Amino acid sequence: MMSGLLVGTLDVVLDSSARVAPYRILHQTQDSQVYWAVACGSSRKEITKHWEWLENNLLQTLSIFDNEEDITTFVKGKIHGIIAEENKNEQPQSEEDPGKFKEAELKMRKQFGMPEVEKLVNYYSCSYWKGRVPRQGWLYLTVNHLCFYSFLLGKEVTLVIQWVDVTQLEKNATLLFPECIKVSTRDSELYFSMFLNINETFKLMEQLANIAMRQLLDNESFLQDKSLPKPRKPLKNISALKRDLDARAKNECYRATFRLPKDECLDGHTDCTLWTPFNKMHIPGQMFVSNNYICFASKAEEACHLIIPLREVTIVEKADSSSVLPSPLSISTKSKMTFFFANLKDRDFLVQRISDFLQRTPSKKPCSSDREWKWNLADPGCEEVPELPSSSPLAVSPMSALSNRPVSFCAGEVPTASQGLLKLFRRNSEELLGPKGAKEKMKEESWNIHFFEYGRGMCMYRTAKTRELVQKGIPENLRGELWLLFSGAWNEMVTHPDYYADLVEKSMGKYNLATEEIERDLHRSMPEHPAFQNELGIAALRRVLTAYAFRNPTIGYCQAMNIVTSVLLLYCNEEEAFWLLVALCERMLPDYYNTRVVGALVDQGIFEELTREYLPQLSEKMQDLGVISTISLSWFLTLFLSVMPFESAVVIVDCFFYEGIKFILQVSLAILDANMEKLLQCCDEGEAMTILGRYLDNVVNRQSVSPPIPHLHALLTSGDDPPLEIDIFELIKTSYEKFSNLKADDIEQMRFKQRLKVIQSLEDTAKKSVVRAVSSDIGFSIEELEELYVVFKAKYLMSCYWGNNRAAAARRDQSLPYLEQYRIDMEQFKELFISLTPWSCGAHTPVLAGRLFRLLDENRDSLINFKEFVTGMSGMYHGDLTEKLKVLYKLHLPPALNPEETESALEATSYFTEDVTTEETQEDKGRRDENGPEKEEKGTSPQDYRYYLRMWAKEKESKKETIKDLPKMSQEQFIELCKTLYNMFSEDPVEQELYHAIATVASLLLRIGEVGKKFSNRPMRKSEDCKANNTQDPVSEEESPTSEQSQNSAVEQQPQADHEDKTCGDAQPEKTQQENQTLGDGSGEGQGSPLQLLSDDETKDDMSMSSYSMVSTGSLQCEDIADDTVLVGCEGSSSAARYGSTIDTDWSISFEQILASMLTETALVNYFEKKVNILQKIKDQKKVERQFSSSSDYELSSVSG
């Protein structure tokens, strides 16, 4: 026994794909010490099945072999062949994955009960620390889960954690744990160590957790990139998914480094040197080649960066090698610039790749050949570009190339300015002629010299010198041009020439929630600036913001976008401002401007972390005052434009476009550092805010040539003493001196860590909001509601990554209230209902779940939200007998019954009393109304909130419903109710008592219905003429008296399959009572005996059917209802065909009558009033979410919301 355990343990430790199961079949010959594993199973039943297959297919064949060695060879070959065939059948689509990896993926699926759509990314050997004991095993990282399996001396440990539940990932080393990875969820902390390559594992974990966070943030599920080029050399044990994720990580880093468009994909990179003419040196670095760009980054940071768009390239040629320049490559551009790269390892292959990409570069519109290669930065069109003197090849800028293009998007509107608004609204300023003007001219000259030495436009050499010039402030005439170049917006603009104009045309005249908010904020955008005190500036701002809202409806419009865009419009024309806004919102400040400002909150978290690191004294004080969270949002969202004088803040924007978010964090730290002494003496948040407000108001730009614009904030905070002015350039210089060691890579790493924290915090807030919103109307406690929300959300998310394009998995609209963001469809609801309902009905449970879903889905969109879900659950768990019976009663009336089940019920409605018919008609009309105008309103954003207010108002009104408002039930519906009750009782400890009780009650109610029919028939017949326009065919007076005859004749035509005497329609009540007693006592024979049939669901259903025939003999001429074609809800034939005339359409019963009859039976009262703990049900539901084998020490991390 002990040796078996050791063998199992060693298998798991040493073999990457081993899954040691409690049961195994081993092949071992007498003379051999070696055994071969043939089969394994998690249960005796599974292993027995394997053994039977071996007996039938293999053992008989072995007798033909003469020696044991041949037998072993044959068995090994056979088993390997079966495994290979199985792998081939199960994963035909993953041929690119190595065989060993495929095997591991199949083992993972079986071990953790994962479906085929769940893809394994990689697996690693490691130890999981359970207490102080390390469990050596295997960590499987899938797209949506982290899984761990270990088998150690008979003890099995299995962990499954969803990435969406991870709140923190840390790589650290402590005394207790050697270098380890800590994975935190809301309710547990897991430690993994002893990795062969901990950095690779941690990086992959971060990527997968990041994908999960994106899914929570904007419902963006993971899609594998199928177009990934195949590796030139086969990669051992690396899956296609792992290669995909590695490629994504490299692409993101590449795009961020060179500010390239979001769809740019890196093809490869290689070491090389670049000849830099400005300092006559060969700079070592790396060349990066992608679909549309060749880029270079020097190894020494900031020595040189270079971006060459392929659309600019004219010639790529291999120069002659020499000892000084081995393997050189020359690239020439339309701007007459030539770049020399050398020391290229695989030059021929590189040239071939670049040539391939050049051929794919979109060709231009037909232009005359002599102008084809003229230097033209505005290359997407064929507009005339003036000839340039050869002595000045760098004289054309992006701005000058586009500024001559007059554009007017709307004939009736104010024409769009073809240049920055500042040029149109510059007042005659004496500053232009004074010392400030001279300083501005010097700046322009410095930049012109720089352009001459380093190039101008996209292909400029970007060096430390470039940064120095940016820090000194960009001249106003060059600001728009350089913002476009440094942000990368220029690339997107020239590759999408008519995009903005088309977008403006499409969006004009359209109205939604975003356009309403834009209109409200237009006149609040820099109202102190003359450019926005007239319709030209306002109209331009409106068009840019509206066009962006239509381009990216996920963001739409967010406050602060108006302030930033208004500043962009001062220095750029509309199209340029639009593309700068795209660069800001989608690349430079990701997720800043969505409805929950997630990106700003993430960077706020980074700011707090940096404050702790660089200003530890101040950090504690600021934390106590709660100031950082207040200040940083306004600083970051508007890039200081709303808190600093305009002419100073615009210098911050200059540096931001060159450096990115790193600079904003750097300046923020410098501002806190400058005010440290005052802030440490503050007593409250208000005082700290005043100190920082006054400081920022007095940050001045003494070099600005624009007349000062009054800063509204400054007017409010000015005191008696003249404030101390701070020069913006001094502040920037200080920030570089003290905090320039911030690295962009470190900030991205910190962003990931903070993103986990922020998104999970927002999810917790959403959960609390939803629970608080529904708690007042629902019987569940707060704890129960929170657990239900977790389960509900988990089911929704599961549909996103495992579902088949279900409606619920469609992109959710985050502008909707939290309550409406997660919604599930009928299939998902059925899965939850089956695991959580206290009314388990065996095989009948899904039918009941479908009815409850239809009852809850009031707006008929085939989705229900969390409130509707818990309302349904609460109806089964809370309230007295009356409330629970009311829910059950409604489940057997339209709309809960589906059309097939209600076909006969609809026929019966014409025989109900006048007032009931009227009620139902009004109810249907209400539903039609809900599906009509309101549904249309729901599609457009402005009406959303009004729609929900009306909906909630209706919910409040519906509480007034009394039991008298419930419509009567037809005989067919009553039989369905009996069937449901019978199935509910079939697994109860006191089922015999309950069977007896329900038989008695059903018999009584059927007789009550018969008696009621006699009183209701006559008035109904009189009112037939009044109902001539009814959609149902009325039954004529002549037909009514013969209904019993037709029923009897229908029974006479039935085959002689009835084993008991059930043919008499007017059977006496005494006989019925006797038969019911027989059923209740469980002493019937064959199918009528409940005692014999408690384990098999199908048989239970058969039994329930035969019980109905007994119950209903007092009033119906029934064929044997054990024949399942007779019962409501059975498939195969329509209700009309099944029932013909066997259902008595005059018969009806009211809810009060059912309730009164039920109250007479103690067993029924006790059953419906017993308390069921839903928290235990939820716990069980989480355990069975995936199928595990039974003989293990399993740990399943709870799914958290």
Side-chain angles (χ1 to χ4, degrees):
M1 175 65 184
M2 189 62 188
S3 63
L5 292 178
L6 285 170
V7 167
T9 301
L10 285 169
D11 275 351
V12 169
V13 172
L14 301 174
D15 179 14
S16 65
S17 57
R19 173 185 176 271
V20 177
Y23 299 93
R24 294 194 292 171
I25 297 171
L26 306 177
H27 173 77
Q28 186 175 20
T29 55
Q30 290 179 351
D31 301 332
S32 173
Q33 297 299 311
V34 179
Y35 73 87
W36 301 94
V38 173
C40 61
S42 56
S43 64
R44 185 180 288 273
K45 185 178 177 184
E46 188 181 347
I47 205 71
T48 306
K49 192 177 173 187
H50 289 319
W51 179 252
E52 286 169 358
W53 187 93
L54 290 169
E55 275 186 325
N56 296 331
N57 295 279
L58 202 65
L59 293 184
Q60 293 170 355
T61 316
L62 298 184
S63 59
I64 65 171
F65 292 102
D66 296 331
N67 59 52
E68 292 176 348
E69 195 175 325
D70 290 346
I71 291 175
T72 303
T73 307
F74 174 76
V75 170
K76 281 166 61 183
K78 183 77 174 171
I79 299 302
H80 280 303
I82 292 166
I83 291 169
E85 189 63 32
E86 184 71 14
N87 288 357
K88 188 178 170 187
N89 292 340
E90 290 202 21
Q91 277 200 327
Q93 73 282 8
S94 306
E95 287 173 8
E96 59 204 75
D97 288 342
K100 193 82 170 167
F101 187 88
K102 281 191 207 172
E103 197 180 328
E105 185 168 46
L106 288 170
K107 297 274 187 186
M108 176 277 296
R109 291 222 185 101
K110 195 166 185 185
Q111 178 67 53
F112 302 103
M114 298 287 178
E116 275 195 40
V117 289
E118 184 67 1
K119 301 291 183 187
L120 177 65
V121 179
N122 216 348
Y123 56 100
Y124 301 94
S125 170
C126 69
S127 288
Y128 160 58
W129 291 79
K130 192 177 180 189
R132 296 197 173 194
V133 182
R135 302 263 184 181
Q136 183 66 27
W138 290 88
L139 184 71
Y140 296 88
L141 304 180
T142 73
V143 172
N144 301 297
H145 297 85
L146 176 153
C147 309
F148 177 81
Y149 176 75
S150 167
F151 180 87
L152 194 67
L153 300 177
K155 208 70 161 145
E156 205 172 15
V157 176
T158 303
L159 285 172
V160 178
I161 297 164
Q162 285 184 304
W163 289 118
V164 288
D165 296 330
V166 173
T167 54
Q168 197 174 9
L169 274 178
E170 284 181 294
K171 185 179 68 177
N172 51 26
T174 62
L175 287 172
L176 179 61
F177 301 117
E179 196 173 26
C180 68
I181 294 174
K182 176 184 168 189
V183 181
S184 304
T185 63
R186 285 177 180 78
D187 40 28
S188 63
E189 289 182 352
L190 310 169
Y191 292 88
F192 300 94
S193 67
M194 300 186 196
F195 290 94
L196 289 172
N197 188 339
I198 192 167
N199 292 327
E200 181 198 319
T201 312
F202 185 69
K203 188 179 171 188
L204 181 56
M205 284 178 156
E206 282 190 325
Q207 280 183 285
L208 292 167
N210 213 13
I211 289 168
M213 291 307 105
R214 289 241 65 91
Q215 189 180 323
L216 284 177
L217 183 60
D218 54 17
N219 223 34
E220 194 178 278
S221 58
F222 178 81
L223 290 172
Q224 187 179 346
D225 184 1
K226 301 287 186 186
S227 62
L228 209 62
K230 290 194 175 182
R232 285 194 281 170
K233 295 176 185 174
L235 301 169
K236 190 183 176 186
N237 285 357
I238 295 182
S239 68
L241 268 178
K242 174 75 168 66
R243 284 177 50 233
D244 183 1
L245 287 169
D246 289 345
R248 285 175 192 229
K250 285 179 181 175
N251 287 336
E252 281 168 20
C253 184
Y254 171 62
R255 289 192 292 257
T257 305
F258 299 104
R259 306 272 168 79
L260 299 177
K262 288 181 82 175
D263 55 354
E264 195 62 24
C265 292
L266 179 65
D267 186 68
H269 56 89
T270 183
D271 290 339
C272 66
T273 58
L274 171 68
W275 170 254
T276 49
F278 50 86
N279 60 1
K280 309 289 188 290
M281 286 177 68
H282 291 283
I283 298 179
Q286 278 196 316
M287 176 196 278
F288 300 84
V289 179
S290 60
N291 310 24
N292 302 294
Y293 298 88
I294 299 169
C295 300
F296 175 85
S298 57
K299 285 188 177 171
E301 199 182 358
E302 290 163 19
C304 182
H305 267 209
L306 179 65
I307 302 165
I308 309 171
L310 290 181
R311 62 178 182 269
E312 296 291 321
V313 173
T314 55
I315 302 168
V316 177
E317 59 183 350
K318 294 181 275 189
D320 295 333
S321 288
S322 66
S323 56
V324 183
L325 274 181
S327 304
L329 181 68
S330 160
I331 298 175
S332 302
T333 67
K334 298 174 192 175
S335 54
K336 309 285 194 297
M337 291 179 79
T338 302
F339 304 96
F340 287 102
F341 298 92
N343 294 290
L344 291 157
K345 287 178 186 173
D346 199 349
R347 184 176 62 164
D348 293 343
F349 177 74
L350 183 67
V351 170
Q352 185 58 50
R353 292 303 290 163
I354 293 172
S355 301
D356 292 346
F357 288 133
L358 277 170
Q359 285 174 1
R360 290 181 216 160
T361 303
S363 57
K364 300 180 185 62
K365 298 168 188 172
C367 296
S368 58
S369 57
D370 61 327
R371 222 169 41 208
E372 182 68 36
W373 298 111
K374 271 182 191 165
W375 182 57
N376 171 16
L377 275 170
D379 60 345
C382 294
E383 55 271 16
E384 289 286 335
V385 177
E387 278 286 329
L388 301 168
S390 56
S391 60
S392 174
L394 306 168
V396 172
S397 72
M399 286 292 280
S400 59
L402 279 185
S403 60
N404 298 323
R405 290 162 63 182
V407 186
S408 179
F409 295 111
C410 236
E413 294 272 330
V414 178
T416 304
S418 58
Q419 53 189 330
L421 294 173
L422 202 62
K423 291 178 183 174
L424 299 175
F425 291 94
R426 177 175 282 153
R427 291 171 288 192
N428 294 327
S429 172
E430 295 174 8
E431 308 286 2
L432 291 171
L433 306 171
K436 287 186 179 179
K439 180 83 175 172
E440 185 79 357
K441 289 285 180 193
M442 283 173 63
K443 278 188 190 177
E444 284 186 30
E445 191 54 37
S446 299
W447 274 99
N448 284 329
I449 294 167
H450 184 272
F451 291 148
F452 186 80
E453 290 183 9
Y454 295 84
R456 186 170 189 172
M458 211 68 223
C459 301
M460 178 200 299
Y461 292 98
R462 300 162 198 225
T463 65
K465 176 75 175 166
T466 317
R467 178 201 264 177
E468 283 174 31
L469 285 175
V470 172
Q471 286 173 32
K472 291 174 183 173
I474 297 174
E476 289 194 348
N477 290 337
L478 296 173
R479 191 161 265 147
E481 171 190 344
L482 293 174
W483 283 359
L484 284 164
L485 292 179
F486 295 148
S487 66
W490 177 250
N491 285 321
E492 290 183 281
M493 184 170 74
V494 296
T495 50
H496 298 83
D498 300 316
Y499 182 86
Y500 176 68
D502 293 343
L503 207 54
V504 170
E505 200 176 320
K506 286 175 189 169
S507 63
M508 291 309 280
K510 302 273 178 69
Y511 296 98
N512 56 23
L513 191 60
T515 56
E516 276 188 20
E517 289 177 355
I518 289 167
E519 286 301 323
R520 191 177 61 223
D521 285 351
L522 283 175
H523 295 278
R524 304 178 192 170
S525 310
M526 294 191 70
E528 64 276 14
H529 197 286
F532 297 99
Q533 290 168 358
N534 69 84
E535 189 51 33
L536 179 65
I538 294 292
L541 183 60
R542 178 188 292 116
R543 282 191 291 270
V544 173
L545 291 173
T546 307
Y548 187 77
F550 274 80
R551 168 189 163 87
N552 191 344
T554 310
I555 291 177
Y557 170 76
C558 173
Q559 280 188 331
M561 282 170 73
N562 60 320
I563 295 169
V564 174
T565 309
S566 57
V567 173
L568 299 178
L569 281 166
L570 290 176
Y571 298 99
C572 309
N573 68 35
E574 266 184 51
E575 186 177 14
E576 293 161 348
F578 170 79
W579 286 110
L580 276 169
L581 186 62
V582 169
L584 270 176
C585 296
E586 296 174 18
R587 288 190 287 107
M588 299 189 75
L589 297 175
D591 305 319
Y592 258 59
Y593 299 105
N594 58 26
T595 48
R596 300 193 277 182
V597 293
V598 171
L601 293 171
V602 166
D603 286 347
Q604 175 185 297
I606 293 173
F607 184 42
E608 287 181 28
E609 207 173 317
L610 292 172
T611 309
R612 277 195 295 276
E613 185 181 336
Y614 289 98
L615 308 168
Q617 278 180 293
L618 187 59
S619 172
E620 261 182 68
K621 182 74 174 177
M622 298 291 274
Q623 207 69 41
D624 293 342
L625 296 175
V627 174
I628 286 184
S629 57
T630 313
I631 58 172
S632 53
L633 274 183
S634 59
W635 292 5
F636 296 166
L637 277 169
T638 64
L639 303 174
F640 288 94
L641 289 165
S642 63
V643 293
M644 242 185 221
F646 167 72
E647 55 274 11
S648 303
V650 83
V651 182
I652 299 271
V653 178
D654 290 344
C655 296
F656 165 74
F657 277 124
Y658 189 78
E659 295 274 16
I661 192 63
K662 164 183 175 289
F663 178 75
I664 299 294
L665 292 165
Q666 193 174 292
V667 168
S668 302
L669 288 169
I671 292 166
L672 289 188
D673 185 50
N675 291 279
M676 189 187 290
E677 287 181 20
K678 291 180 183 175
L679 289 170
L680 286 171
Q681 293 167 12
C682 286
C683 302
D684 56 35
E685 183 188 1
E687 194 180 342
M689 293 295 290
T690 305
I691 288 166
L692 290 168
R694 290 191 69 181
Y695 177 87
L696 290 168
D697 288 337
N698 293 292
V699 175
V700 296
N701 179 0
R702 297 191 181 95
Q703 298 176 14
S704 174
V705 291
S706 297
I709 297 167
H711 187 51
L712 299 179
H713 194 252
L715 302 175
L716 302 172
T717 56
S718 56
D720 300 329
D721 304 326
L724 180 69
E725 289 188 340
I726 304 96
D727 185 77
I728 181 64
F729 299 105
E730 282 300 314
L731 176 62
I732 289 172
K733 187 181 172 187
T734 308
S735 80
Y736 274 103
E737 286 170 357
K738 292 191 174 181
F739 307 108
S740 63
N741 56 347
L742 286 178
K743 299 282 183 294
D745 291 348
D746 296 339
I747 289 169
E748 280 307 310
Q749 185 68 29
M750 292 163 84
R751 269 182 168 173
F752 161 74
K753 184 179 169 186
Q754 292 296 333
R755 194 179 292 120
L756 274 182
K757 198 184 291 183
V758 166
I759 293 177
Q760 296 292 19
S761 169
L762 288 169
E763 289 296 310
D764 288 342
T765 305
K767 177 169 75 173
K768 285 172 185 168
S769 301
V770 169
V771 166
R772 195 165 55 245
V774 302
S775 59
S776 56
D777 308 328
I778 306 293
F780 291 116
S781 67
I782 296 291
E783 184 192 0
E784 288 170 337
L785 283 171
E786 285 186 350
E787 286 296 320
L788 281 168
Y789 181 84
V790 167
V791 172
F792 183 85
K793 179 180 144 191
K795 185 60 69 179
Y796 166 83
L797 290 173
M798 209 171 283
S799 78
C800 291
Y801 51 74
W802 285 351
N804 298 318
N805 298 321
R806 288 171 170 169
R811 181 176 289 275
R812 73 180 193 271
D813 184 357
Q814 294 198 343
S815 64
L816 295 178
Y818 283 135
L819 195 58
E820 287 292 318
Q821 285 188 18
Y822 294 121
R823 295 182 295 168
I824 59 174
D825 62 17
M826 185 182 283
E827 288 308 308
Q828 296 164 292
F829 177 77
K830 281 182 180 178
E831 289 163 19
L832 284 178
F833 181 89
I834 289 166
S835 56
L836 298 178
T837 181
W839 297 345
S840 181
C841 303
H844 191 64
T845 310
V847 177
L848 201 64
R851 289 176 189 168
L852 182 56
F853 183 88
R854 286 189 289 272
L855 185 67
L856 296 172
D857 182 23
E858 291 181 6
N859 61 357
R860 301 289 175 269
D861 62 353
S862 300
L863 296 170
I864 61 168
N865 62 27
F866 179 67
K867 180 162 188 177
E868 290 164 338
F869 169 71
V870 289
T871 302
M873 285 290 138
S874 184
M876 296 184 286
Y877 275 92
H878 298 108
D880 55 12
L881 171 73
T882 309
E883 292 301 312
K884 288 177 181 174
L885 269 183
K886 196 193 287 185
V887 173
L888 200 56
Y889 185 84
K890 284 180 179 177
L891 292 182
H892 296 83
L893 294 172
L897 285 173
N898 67 25
E900 288 178 11
E901 293 171 324
T902 55
E903 212 166 294
S904 298
L906 287 171
E907 290 170 15
T909 52
S910 58
Y911 295 93
F912 287 174
T913 57
E914 185 91 43
D915 58 333
V916 172
T917 309
T918 311
E919 273 178 32
E920 287 184 352
T921 310
Q922 285 171 349
E923 197 173 308
D924 290 339
K925 187 172 182 290
R927 278 188 212 109
R928 278 198 303 277
D929 290 346
E930 278 181 21
N931 282 334
E934 282 185 14
K935 198 159 187 183
E936 285 170 27
E937 281 179 13
K938 199 174 172 184
T940 56
S941 302
Q943 283 81 16
D944 278 341
Y945 296 102
R946 292 196 286 275
Y947 168 81
Y948 289 109
L949 284 170
R950 281 198 294 275
M951 195 171 79
W952 289 329
K954 281 183 182 176
E955 283 176 8
K956 296 288 180 192
E957 286 171 17
S958 67
K959 287 184 179 177
K960 298 169 189 172
E961 180 190 65
T962 65
I963 56 175
K964 290 183 180 177
D965 297 329
L966 294 169
K968 289 190 174 184
M969 185 176 270
S970 70
Q971 194 172 71
E972 182 181 17
Q973 293 159 351
F974 179 69
I975 289 175
E976 278 297 318
L977 176 61
C978 291
K979 180 179 177 181
T980 301
L981 287 167
Y982 179 82
N983 279 293
M984 278 167 65
F985 303 151
S986 65
E987 293 175 12
D988 197 270
V990 291
E991 59 182 326
Q992 294 305 317
E993 209 177 317
L994 289 165
Y995 288 154
H996 177 80
I998 195 59
T1000 308
V1001 167
S1003 173
L1004 177 63
L1005 287 168
L1006 285 161
R1007 283 187 305 215
I1008 290 171
E1010 284 295 316
V1011 174
K1013 183 172 71 172
K1014 292 173 184 172
F1015 290 98
S1016 62
N1017 262 357
R1018 198 168 288 108
M1020 287 301 293
R1021 234 177 262 126
K1022 285 179 185 175
S1023 64
E1024 276 171 3
D1025 293 337
C1026 305
K1027 294 182 185 175
N1029 59 350
N1030 197 312
T1031 55
Q1032 304 294 330
D1033 293 333
V1035 181
S1036 65
E1037 281 188 43
E1038 291 79 30
E1039 287 174 335
S1040 292
T1042 62
S1043 62
E1044 282 190 15
Q1045 289 176 349
S1046 64
Q1047 286 176 4
N1048 284 327
S1049 64
V1051 175
E1052 284 164 12
Q1053 291 163 16
Q1054 292 298 318
Q1056 297 295 315
D1058 202 340
H1059 302 299
E1060 299 176 37
D1061 184 15
K1062 297 176 193 167
T1063 54
C1064 179
D1066 297 311
Q1068 293 177 9
E1070 288 82 12
K1071 183 178 175 185
T1072 307
Q1073 192 62 41
Q1074 276 181 349
E1075 287 178 355
N1076 288 332
Q1077 284 292 348
T1078 305
L1079 169 70
D1081 296 335
S1083 55
E1085 294 180 16
Q1087 288 184 332
S1089 172
L1091 286 175
Q1092 297 172 15
L1093 301 150
L1094 292 176
S1095 59
D1096 190 337
D1097 282 340
E1098 288 182 22
T1099 324
K1100 281 177 196 168
D1101 274 357
D1102 288 341
M1103 181 179 94
S1104 68
M1105 294 161 190
S1106 79
S1107 71
Y1108 296 144
S1109 59
M1110 293 176 167
V1111 165
S1112 53
T1113 47
S1115 57
L1116 285 175
Q1117 299 79 11
C1118 283
E1119 57 265 54
D1120 184 359
I1121 305 186
D1123 179 356
D1124 61 3
T1125 56
V1126 176
L1127 283 169
V1128 180
C1130 298
E1131 296 174 6
S1133 57
S1134 69
S1135 297
R1138 284 198 305 268
Y1139 282 94
S1141 52
T1142 52
I1143 293 296
D1144 190 340
T1145 48
D1146 288 344
W1147 189 98
S1148 67
I1149 199 85
S1150 69
F1151 176 73
E1152 295 100 310
Q1153 290 167 329
I1154 292 176
L1155 176 62
S1157 305
M1158 289 273 201
L1159 288 169
T1160 61
E1161 294 292 333
T1162 312
L1164 294 175
V1165 174
N1166 292 342
Y1167 178 86
F1168 282 104
E1169 294 200 337
K1170 72 181 174 192
K1171 300 290 179 192
V1172 181
N1173 184 2
I1174 195 165
L1175 290 176
Q1176 187 57 45
K1177 288 260 186 190
I1178 293 170
K1179 197 174 173 185
D1180 296 341
Q1181 189 264 349
K1182 287 177 183 174
K1183 280 181 183 172
V1184 299
E1185 195 67 51
R1186 294 169 194 88
Q1187 294 101 34
F1188 291 107
S1189 56
S1190 55
S1191 57
S1192 305
D1193 172 22
Y1194 287 114
E1195 293 183 17
L1196 179 61
S1197 172
S1198 61
V1199 181
S1200 304

